[in-house]
């Protein structure tokens, strides 16, 4: 008998966003600044001393004031889950205070009220590239061990306040991205070119301990809470069958695997320890750290998936564009307008690899196509976008998720990235759109902020309503 080609009945369909990319209201109600407020061009341009008017994230898409209208639209699509992050600097404006900012906490109460109204399950990212700027400037972000305590206080505040309403939590968004973007991902103020590997890996260690510690606190607050890690997933393929290329691809994957291995298995893998030895790095790891890592492993593993890449040790090849990291170009794949390789089958590969390796339930918490959209007038006279390219991308990826489920992989849900258009993380553009919902805002900051349903809106509504049966294989 062949395996069932379907999604589980309780599959969590939905979408994802991050506070700094959609909330706006960057200084409202006592909010402090975050690292994003001084990154007007994302990772592709220089940081500024203070927020500047060209930084689109300061206003985002103004979800802070339009959350009711936005959540109603998500409900109209039939969302079962909504992934969003809490802005750390709304809750602890500087990050090292002892008391939280009540106005910040109250905002997320209101968001949760609205989600509850429609029966949408929240999935909360505790830290999504939003380290309070003060922690970055005064402590050098995660390079400083004291960050563990600040994060524990912040996480405990969230679990105690929202733990009765939020079951699923993620600690750090794409935790492995700190290897490539230490400021955005880890709040590390030292410029990337000057940061020593010793300090970088020590920062990573602090984040991993903080993540395990948050898992401990969540389970103390309520055994019903489920905490996951979040990894930027990229399958690396050897460019050729030359064993040296195969090994190069394996090494690239291990840079990412390390983070899941520690979160799931509770200790550093041997290949990572060897890497540290080879580099002459000695980490400050206390007995307490070891115990925390070992005893507080995650309940599930979540990841983002946009693209795959190739690796080679034998050839000079063009570097591939990519989501914060990448190897060399895969000549067999098409790329997006931003140069990210489109590879639906890679998602099935990742799901199978992660399941085989860790045996933990998997949650796909980001996937989607960043593309330029053109607003046109729809048949009923309202503006829309004919985004068949986005529908094709998502359809093909979801078909591979269904295949992986048939392969026996346990998948909890799927939240597509940027379900409402928001500001891009890497380039800080509005024109790199992922959403089912178009937001009238342009790269120069002009626009009415009106929302319009794209054609993918109805398509996704049908996918959810049919629990995936409407997908085209
Ligand atoms: C992931 C991030 O790296 O990819 C998101 O978690 C980000 O914050 C998404 O927005 C898409 O990347 P970009 O650079 O196109 O916004």
């Amino acid at each position: 008998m062949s395996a069932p080609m379907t999604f589980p009945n309780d599959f969590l369909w939905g979408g994802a966003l991050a506070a700094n990319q959609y909330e706006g209201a960057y200084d409202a109600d006592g909010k402090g600044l975050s690292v994003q407020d001084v990154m007007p061009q994302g990772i592709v341009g220089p940081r500024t001393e203070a927020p500047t008017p060209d930084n689109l994230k300061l206003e985002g898409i103004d979800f802070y004031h339009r959350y009711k209208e936005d959540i109603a639209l998500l409900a109209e699509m039939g969302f079962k889950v909504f992934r969003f992050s809490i802005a750390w600097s709304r809750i602890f404006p500087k990050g090292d205070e002892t008391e939280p900012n009540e106005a910040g906490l109250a905002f997320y109460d209101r968001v949760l009220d609205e989600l509850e109204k429609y029966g949408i399950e929240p999935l909360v990212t505790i830290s999504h590239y939003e380290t309070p700027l003060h922690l970055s400037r005064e402590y050098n972000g995660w390079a400083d061990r004291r960050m563990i305590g600040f994060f524990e206080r912040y996480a405990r505040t969230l679990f105690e306040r929202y733990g009765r309403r939020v079951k699923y939590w993620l600690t750090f968004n794409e935790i492995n991205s700190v290897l490539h973007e230490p400021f955005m991902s880890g709040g590390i103020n030292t410029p990337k070119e000057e940061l020593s590997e010793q300090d970088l890996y020590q920062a990573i260690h602090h984040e991993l301990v903080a993540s395990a510690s948050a898992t401990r606190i969540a389970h103390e607050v309520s055994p019903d809470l489920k905490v996951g890690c979040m990894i930027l997933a990229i399958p690396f393929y050897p460019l050729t069958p030359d064993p040296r290329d195969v090994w190069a691809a394996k090494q690239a994957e291990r840079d990412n695997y390390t983070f899941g291995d520690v979160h799931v298995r509770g200790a550093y893998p041997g290949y990572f320890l060897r890497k540290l030895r080879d580099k002459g790095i000695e980490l400050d790891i206390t007995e307490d750290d070891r115990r925390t890592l070992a005893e507080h492993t995650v309940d599930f593993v979540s990841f983002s998936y946009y693209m795959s890449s190739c690796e080679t040790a034998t050839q000079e090849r063009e570097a591939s564009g990519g989501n914060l990291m990448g190897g060399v170009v895969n000549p067999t794949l098409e790329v997006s307008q931003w140069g990210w390789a489109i590879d639906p089958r890679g998602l099935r590969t990742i799901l199978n690899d992660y399941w085989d390796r860790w045996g933990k339930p998997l949650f796909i918490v980001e996937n989607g196509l960043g593309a330029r959209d053109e607003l046109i007038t729809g048949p009923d006279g309202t503006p829309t976008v004919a985004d068949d390219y986005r529908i094709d991308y998502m359809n093909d990826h979801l078909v591979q998720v269904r295949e992986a489920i048939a392969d026996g992989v346990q998948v909890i849900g799927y939240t597509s990235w940027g379900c409402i258009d928001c500001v891009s993380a890497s380039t800080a553009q509005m024109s790199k759109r992922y959403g089912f919902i178009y937001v009238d805002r342009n790269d120069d900051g002009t626009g009415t902020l009106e929302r319009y349903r794209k054609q993918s809106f109805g398509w996704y509504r049908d996918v959810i309503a049919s629990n995936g049966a409407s997908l085209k294989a």
Side-chain angles (χ1 to χ4, degrees), residues 21-38:
Q21 293 171 260
Y22 83 132
E23 281 183 358
Y26 79 102
D27 62 353
D29 299 327
K31 182 181 173 296
L33 296 179
S34 87
V35 292
Q36 292 291 343
D37 297 321
V38 295

Side-chain angles (χ1 to χ4, degrees), residues 18 21 83 128-129 173-174 230 232 304 306 323-324 340 366 417 423-427 432 434:
Q21 293 171 260
R83 173 183 175 224
H128 191 131
Y129 299 162
N173 182 64
E174 299 187 332
M230 196 310 205
L232 191 169
S304 63
Y306 294 91
N323 185 16
L324 310 182
W340 297 16
E366 285 186 32
W417 173 251
V423 184
S424 149
S426 56
T427 61
K432 191 178 187 191
Y434 287 85

Side-chain angles (χ1 to χ4, degrees), residues 309-385:
S309 191
C310 281
E311 267 302 343
T312 176
T314 57
Q315 301 188 23
E316 282 296 315
R317 283 298 177 100
E318 188 194 344
S320 62
N323 185 16
L324 310 182
M325 60 180 82
V328 298
V329 169
N330 183 335
T332 70
L333 297 175
E334 306 262 304
V335 297
S336 77
Q337 289 166 333
W338 272 263
W340 297 16
I342 300 174
D343 179 13
R345 282 190 171 75
L347 179 52
R348 180 178 181 184
T349 301
I350 278 286
L351 283 163
N352 275 274
D353 283 358
Y354 282 10
W355 177 251
D356 291 349
R357 192 175 182 98
W358 296 317
K360 289 275 177 192
L362 300 175
F363 208 144
I364 305 155
V365 296
E366 285 186 32
N367 172 241
L369 179 69
R372 289 191 185 85
D373 287 339
E374 189 196 343
L375 207 55
I376 56 168
T377 306
D380 60 356
T382 51
T384 186
V385 176

